[in-house]
Amino acid sequence: MKNFLLGKTLDELKNSVLSLKMPAFTAKQVAQWIYKKRAISFEQMTDISIKNRILLAENFETGRTLPLECKQSKDGTKKYLFKIAENQFVETVFIPEKDRATLCVSTQIGCKMNCRFCLTAKMGFVANLSASDILNQILSVEESEKLTNIVFMGMGEPFDNIDNLLKSIEILTADYGLAISPHRITVSTIGIIEPMKIFLQTTDCHLAISLHSPFPPERQILMPSEKVFPIQKIVSELRQYDFSHQRRISFEYIMFDGINDDLQHAAALVKMISGIFCRVNLICFHAIPSVDLRPSVERRMLDFQTFLNNKGIICTIRHSRGEEIFAACGMLATKKF
């Protein structure tokens, strides 16, 4: 494994510079250059002596790599492709809006969860991304310095890579790092319970749960993980936490025509999450190859939304972005199927 400085915490950077007999304060200088000034090379680190820059370059790499390509959709959404290793790639999506600039970040190459509706699942699981790989996506897109929100909703299941996820969040939110408010970061999960508990206890970031059906047998057909991480147990665990202040929880609900988009499902969903201060995001399914699911029609989505809102649950419909370049929800993959 390459010895990258990107992805190291301040304590790890101190250990790295001390191992080269440099003064401890050099670690803060390196952190400033990598995280705040977004340096790609050691030559850019002009307040570090030439001797020490040479020494750093002989023992480490900065860890910054630029994307291989970028595709832009007609709505302004951009999809970036990053090379991780030989024949290993991930995709990252930039979503511009009037009042925000969001980056959808990947945490794995492929995914183990095998959700029926997700193109990433068709890749199978290849590898976890390191903290360096994760942070490089954020620092290396063209819009890096104007990002307002980070969502871990790209390729992979974030809580299946909990250590590198939490390390990335530490660096993203730390004063020595990017100093982003945790309330500008959202992590989406199918609901792996133990890592979810660690995340809730150690960060203040927002949480999004992939729900998609309030009926466990039906959810298991859509999401095989239901068998191991049942939604009823997930919701029961979430009831132990207070989401009525700044931290937000949302339930993601992809709507499939004739499967989970009627008012019977809406009523069961209300019953399941009643009492949790939350939001439900309805998402239009984006058709993917070799999957016999269809998107719900707009009228049904609106009726579903109205039902939930009338029951006191904030419900929004998420507009599709970047579908024609396969950048929309559930469409990220670096192989063609």
Side-chain angles (χ1 to χ4, degrees):
M1 178 178 282
K2 293 181 179 179
N3 205 350
F4 292 149
L5 293 180
L6 176 63
K8 291 184 184 290
T9 64
L10 185 59
D11 284 343
E12 289 173 331
L13 288 173
K14 284 179 181 175
N15 289 336
S16 296
V17 300
L18 289 173
S19 72
L20 300 178
K21 308 246 183 309
M22 295 181 188
F25 68 78
T26 309
K28 287 188 176 180
Q29 293 174 304
V30 171
Q32 178 86 3
W33 280 105
I34 289 179
Y35 298 126
K36 296 193 183 300
K37 297 182 180 179
R38 293 163 165 77
I40 293 178
S41 68
F42 292 106
E43 287 77 12
Q44 294 173 281
M45 303 180 185
T46 52
D47 61 352
I48 298 175
S49 70
I50 294 176
K51 175 186 172 183
N52 283 345
R53 275 184 268 161
I54 292 171
L55 198 54
L56 285 168
E58 288 173 346
N59 290 273
F60 300 101
E61 295 180 50
T62 60
R64 287 287 307 283
T65 57
L66 297 177
L68 292 180
E69 65 179 39
C70 174
K71 295 179 180 179
Q72 183 166 344
S73 73
K74 59 189 177 184
D75 64 17
T77 300
K78 291 183 178 181
K79 183 171 73 169
Y80 289 93
L81 180 71
F82 287 93
K83 183 176 181 178
I84 304 301
E86 192 64 33
N87 297 319
Q88 294 184 359
F89 306 89
V90 293
E91 294 177 336
T92 309
V93 179
F94 171 69
I95 307 165
E97 297 174 274
K98 287 183 180 179
D99 59 346
R100 64 178 60 192
T102 301
L103 194 70
C104 183
V105 178
S106 295
T107 53
Q108 295 181 314
I109 306 169
C111 187
K112 298 176 187 175
M113 301 305 144
N114 199 28
C115 294
R116 183 180 168 196
F117 47 82
C118 181
L119 193 56
T120 307
K122 303 295 181 185
M123 297 174 61
F125 175 72
V126 179
N128 280 328
L129 297 187
S130 66
S132 177
D133 296 327
I134 293 170
L135 291 168
N136 183 62
Q137 296 169 69
I138 298 164
L139 290 171
S140 296
V141 297
E142 184 181 354
E143 300 79 11
S144 177
E145 296 195 46
K146 68 178 185 182
L147 296 176
T148 62
N149 294 78
I150 305 293
V151 294
F152 288 95
M153 297 182 181
M155 296 170 61
E157 162 55 54
F159 289 164
D160 193 39
N161 188 13
I162 185 65
D163 291 340
N164 289 312
L165 172 71
L166 292 179
K167 191 175 183 182
S168 300
I169 289 173
E170 176 187 334
I171 294 167
L172 285 171
T173 57
D175 288 340
Y176 69 81
L178 275 71
I180 297 173
S181 166
H183 302 127
R184 295 284 184 174
I185 299 172
T186 301
V187 177
S188 178
T189 177
I190 57 92
I192 305 180
I193 292 173
E194 290 306 314
M196 182 181 76
K197 288 163 65 174
I198 295 170
F199 167 81
L200 288 169
Q201 291 161 9
T202 59
T203 81
D204 291 317
C205 299
H206 300 315
L207 179 67
I209 301 291
S210 296
L211 199 154
H212 311 316
S213 175
F215 300 120
E218 184 176 81
R219 186 174 187 261
Q220 188 173 327
I221 293 171
L222 294 169
M223 305 173 64
S225 62
E226 165 69 22
K227 186 174 182 180
V228 182
F229 306 109
I231 189 59
Q232 291 172 337
K233 188 173 181 181
I234 295 165
V235 171
S236 177
E237 181 62 39
L238 292 172
R239 291 188 184 280
Q240 311 304 312
Y241 299 87
D242 182 6
F243 296 102
S244 63
H245 299 293
Q246 285 187 304
R247 165 176 264 173
R248 186 173 64 243
I249 182 169
S250 59
F251 292 96
E252 310 291 287
Y253 196 96
I254 298 177
M255 300 197 72
F256 306 101
D257 181 44
I259 294 179
N260 67 345
D261 60 349
D262 56 34
L263 296 187
Q264 179 187 3
H265 282 80
L269 179 58
V270 169
K271 184 176 180 181
M272 172 173 281
I273 64 176
S274 180
I276 300 176
F277 193 87
C278 65
R279 174 188 300 269
V280 173
N281 290 321
L282 303 182
I283 303 168
C284 180
F285 170 63
H286 303 103
I288 59 175
S290 305
V291 173
D292 60 348
L293 296 168
R294 300 185 309 275
S296 185
V297 298
E298 184 180 12
R299 181 72 261 162
R300 282 199 169 231
M301 294 185 73
L302 290 170
D303 288 347
F304 202 102
Q305 179 190 28
T306 299
F307 185 93
L308 264 62
N309 284 335
N310 287 343
K311 295 296 183 179
I313 293 175
I314 299 170
C315 181
T316 59
I317 296 176
R318 185 185 296 167
H319 296 293
S320 296
R321 301 292 301 270
E323 185 174 2
E324 80 273 15
I325 60 168
F326 273 59
C329 207
M331 301 185 80
L332 299 186
T334 57
K335 294 181 181 179
K336 294 181 180 179
F337 296 92

